[in-house]
Amino acid sequence: MHSSSTLRSIAILLVVILFTTAACTRITSTEFGSGLIPAVDGVNTFDTTMELITDSFEDTDTTRIYKQDNHVIGSLSADPIFGKTSAALHFELFPDYFPFFIQGTKDSVVADSAVLILSYKTFYGDSSQPLRLTVEEIAQQTKLDPYIVYPSNFPLVYPIASAGSLGTTKTIDIRRLSDSVYNRYESASKQIRIRLRDDVARRFIKSYDSTNAYRNDTVFRKFFAGFSVKAESALPANALLYVNLLDTNTKLALYYNSSTTGSTSRDTNVVYFHFNGYASGEANYITRNRAGSEIASRLTTTSKPDSLVYVQASPGTYVRIKIPNLAKLNNRIIHRAELITEQVPDNGNLSGIDRYMEPPQVLLLSIYDSVNKRKRNIPSDFAIGSTGPNTLVFGGYRSYKTVPEYDRLATYSFDLSRYVQGIVTRKDTSFVMRLTAPNNDSINYTPAYPNNYLSQMYYLSPSYYNEAGRGRVRLGGGTHSRFRMRLRIVYSRI
């Protein structure tokens, strides 16, 4: 038989578990004191704000852009906070079949023109200023390999050299890129069209044929190694363009006249080269230059608490977050634990750069495993289901609010209730956290307690987070006087 004291102990334990479980499964709310979160009354329910230690670092993790992703071309030359950015795109376009030849009697074929067309998707930055694009030929000694996923933030690992220009500089009015194109061969929109020199057209139409360059893709690479598209970095260039290589709108158009019968009548024709998802190589290099910028003096390689911290979309920067007193909390029922971050506006550029260089769409809060050099999920709060990460519940989406003096302040918040409950109840580890704006990324995911006995790597695609290079935000750090990053906890005593 059980003694009465034993039964009482079991009953008390069940009550504690019941309240703890209830606290960990409350409906998420972004407003304290609403929904099922009890109001703070100072008698039954309390709140406290935990101080944070924050600092910013250059993110040296490899950034990759895959063939199906949107690629970036452009230049950000007027960002006083984060510095300059340049993005160059290198890629191959092939005929739709090999051996390939131009239809018609060869002697009667007359080259008309060659136009490089890129499928435009969107932009980041200042669309009111023109962007000047150049097209170059990739040098033979640095040919692309279709089986390599080139690291976007390490162009020195796989340098790509130029064999010379293929045309004159094209000035792009970003505001007109959504306009429709109508001609005999096209009824399309959202195209970036760059005409190449006439001698380039003659080369592809007259000089190359099925007996030499167009025999197969291997031989073709020996004649032509691909295209490089870059933006001039001189002001007023201050935008990034996003294009998709696999879209049918991306192609090399070769226009020519020929006689198919040998008669005097002539036809104007066009053939297209496309990006082959299997055979075509591509590399998209994004280079950051922080010289002379505000962030240059704030980045660190050691612990250096800062009142201002910086998150830039990959390849970019991250913020390290420590909560030194979290592990010291005694046991309590956690109704809500929320990490709150707020943008620190740039007062000198509120209507300009601060407006059109938007903060990242989504931030990721994670733990960094320095031993295995990989990100881990926040225990029990960050979850991955059949539809992807639970970002709507866990947090990280950019939102805007109005405060005195500022009508559009970016904020991000994260629900850490279960994580904090585990620390105060089970004495789980209080980790150092990392705040990033990922593009293609992966995370070592461990399910919530009590199923936290195994883990596996999960891929986080741009559809969940950000496109490469898109977004940057200056946040208040743990010691900022007004926009302080903080962990607020609403709790009850047991």
Side-chain angles (χ1 to χ4, degrees):
M1 294 180 64
H2 296 291
S3 67
S4 59
S5 61
T6 302
L7 292 174
R8 283 195 300 271
S9 298
I10 293 174
I12 292 172
L13 178 61
L14 289 174
V15 170
V16 170
I17 293 174
L18 177 62
F19 274 96
T20 302
T21 305
C24 289
T25 57
R26 293 185 181 278
I27 294 175
T28 298
S29 170
T30 58
E31 297 293 329
F32 285 101
S34 66
L36 295 181
I37 301 174
V40 175
D41 56 24
V43 177
N44 300 302
T45 307
F46 308 84
D47 74 335
T48 186
T49 300
M50 307 295 295
E51 293 187 357
L52 312 180
I53 298 175
T54 56
D55 44 8
S56 305
F57 293 83
E58 193 81 50
D59 193 346
T60 57
D61 283 357
T62 301
T63 299
R64 300 190 187 280
I65 300 175
Y66 296 97
K67 292 183 179 182
Q68 70 271 17
D69 298 333
N70 288 340
H71 291 63
V72 57
I73 306 165
S75 176
L76 300 176
S77 302
D79 185 347
I81 296 179
F82 283 82
K84 298 178 180 180
T85 296
S86 60
L89 178 57
H90 316 279
F91 57 98
E92 296 176 310
L93 300 178
F94 290 141
D96 291 340
Y97 58 88
F98 286 103
F100 172 76
F101 58 92
I102 298 293
Q103 296 285 342
T105 306
K106 185 171 183 179
D107 290 343
S108 70
V109 170
V110 177
D112 181 81
S113 59
V115 180
L116 180 63
I117 305 171
L118 300 174
S119 176
Y120 167 72
K121 296 301 181 181
T122 186
F123 76 95
Y124 175 75
D126 186 2
S127 64
S128 68
Q129 301 298 326
L131 200 61
R132 294 167 59 83
L133 301 183
T134 61
V135 181
E136 299 174 353
E137 180 179 350
I138 296 175
Q140 282 293 317
Q141 65 268 26
T142 58
K143 287 194 294 285
L144 295 166
D145 187 333
Y147 303 109
I148 293 177
V149 181
Y150 290 81
S152 295
N153 52 333
F154 297 116
L156 295 179
V157 176
Y158 298 102
I160 295 177
S162 171
S165 172
L166 294 174
T168 58
T169 300
K170 172 75 172 184
T171 300
I172 302 293
D173 183 347
I174 302 171
R175 298 166 298 183
R176 300 292 304 274
L177 287 179
S178 294
D179 291 356
S180 297
V181 175
Y182 296 106
N183 57 42
R184 179 177 175 182
Y185 309 100
E186 293 277 356
S187 178
S189 63
K190 294 190 173 182
Q191 289 186 343
I192 300 172
R193 301 176 66 90
I194 306 173
R195 178 164 177 163
L196 308 181
R197 289 195 314 269
D198 289 345
D199 65 288
V200 177
R202 290 192 295 271
R203 178 179 169 190
F204 279 92
I205 295 171
K206 294 285 289 182
S207 299
Y208 295 168
D209 60 32
S210 59
T211 67
N212 49 53
Y214 294 147
R215 286 170 54 195
N216 55 55
D217 60 338
T218 301
V219 175
F220 181 57
R221 283 193 177 95
K222 295 179 181 179
F223 281 77
F224 186 77
F227 299 94
S228 290
V229 182
K230 306 173 183 178
E232 293 185 355
S233 59
L235 289 173
N238 212 27
L240 302 177
L241 304 179
Y242 289 83
V243 301
N244 193 283
L245 294 177
L246 286 173
D247 194 294
T248 55
N249 247 356
T250 292
K251 52 203 169 189
L252 173 66
L254 300 175
Y255 299 95
Y256 64 96
N257 298 312
S258 71
S259 172
T260 57
T261 63
S263 66
T264 57
S265 62
R266 305 187 64 82
D267 302 314
T268 300
N269 303 281
V270 62
V271 293
Y272 299 115
F273 290 12
H274 293 98
F275 184 79
N276 185 312
Y278 172 75
S280 295
E282 51 80 32
N284 196 182
Y285 290 150
I286 302 174
T287 305
R288 308 289 197 183
N289 181 356
R290 310 197 188 283
S293 66
E294 178 183 305
I295 193 177
S297 61
R298 300 276 186 165
L299 293 175
T300 181
T301 56
T302 59
S303 181
K304 183 183 177 184
D306 209 336
S307 62
L308 291 171
V309 290
Y310 304 80
V311 182
Q312 186 177 40
S314 60
T317 62
Y318 70 88
V319 175
R320 184 175 63 179
I321 302 170
K322 299 179 181 179
I323 314 175
N325 294 321
L326 186 56
K328 300 176 184 178
L329 290 179
N330 57 12
N331 197 11
R332 60 191 70 193
I333 297 172
I334 305 298
H335 300 292
R336 179 78 173 185
E338 187 171 28
L339 181 73
I340 303 167
T341 70
E342 296 175 331
Q343 179 185 12
V344 178
D346 180 5
N347 289 331
N349 295 287
L350 290 179
S351 61
I353 293 173
D354 213 45
R355 181 74 66 172
Y356 57 71
M357 285 193 179
E358 291 190 334
Q361 175 180 287
V362 190
L363 297 186
L364 173 66
L365 185 67
S366 62
I367 297 162
Y368 189 72
D369 182 348
S370 59
V371 175
N372 297 298
K373 299 187 183 304
R374 61 192 183 188
K375 296 182 179 72
R376 295 172 51 194
N377 63 297
I378 301 295
S380 300
D381 282 306
F382 181 95
I384 297 177
S386 58
T387 58
N390 66 333
T391 310
L392 286 174
V393 176
F394 174 64
Y397 275 116
R398 177 190 64 208
S399 62
Y400 290 100
K401 68 178 183 181
T402 299
V403 299
E405 302 176 54
Y406 305 106
D407 65 347
R408 199 165 179 264
L409 187 74
T411 66
Y412 303 85
S413 63
F414 301 88
D415 181 3
L416 305 183
S417 304
R418 298 164 181 80
Y419 169 62
V420 173
Q421 187 72 71
I423 292 171
V424 301
T425 301
R426 298 186 300 271
K427 301 304 177 184
D428 291 348
T429 302
S430 174
F431 293 99
V432 175
M433 295 181 288
R434 179 174 288 196
L435 191 61
T436 58
N439 172 38
N440 285 301
D441 206 346
S442 59
I443 194 165
N444 188 248
Y445 175 64
T446 303
Y449 175 87
N451 299 314
N452 57 337
Y453 48 83
L454 57 86
S455 62
Q456 65 184 95
M457 296 301 294
Y458 273 86
Y459 167 62
L460 304 175
S461 75
S463 62
Y464 300 138
Y465 289 95
N466 310 282
E467 291 179 306
R470 187 183 184 92
R472 41 64 118 201
V473 63
R474 179 177 64 179
L475 300 169
T479 59
H480 197 274
S481 59
R482 181 176 181 184
F483 303 107
R484 180 165 60 100
M485 188 184 300
R486 58 205 180 273
L487 177 65
R488 189 184 180 198
I489 303 174
V490 177
Y491 67 96
S492 296
R493 296 194 179 101
I494 294 177

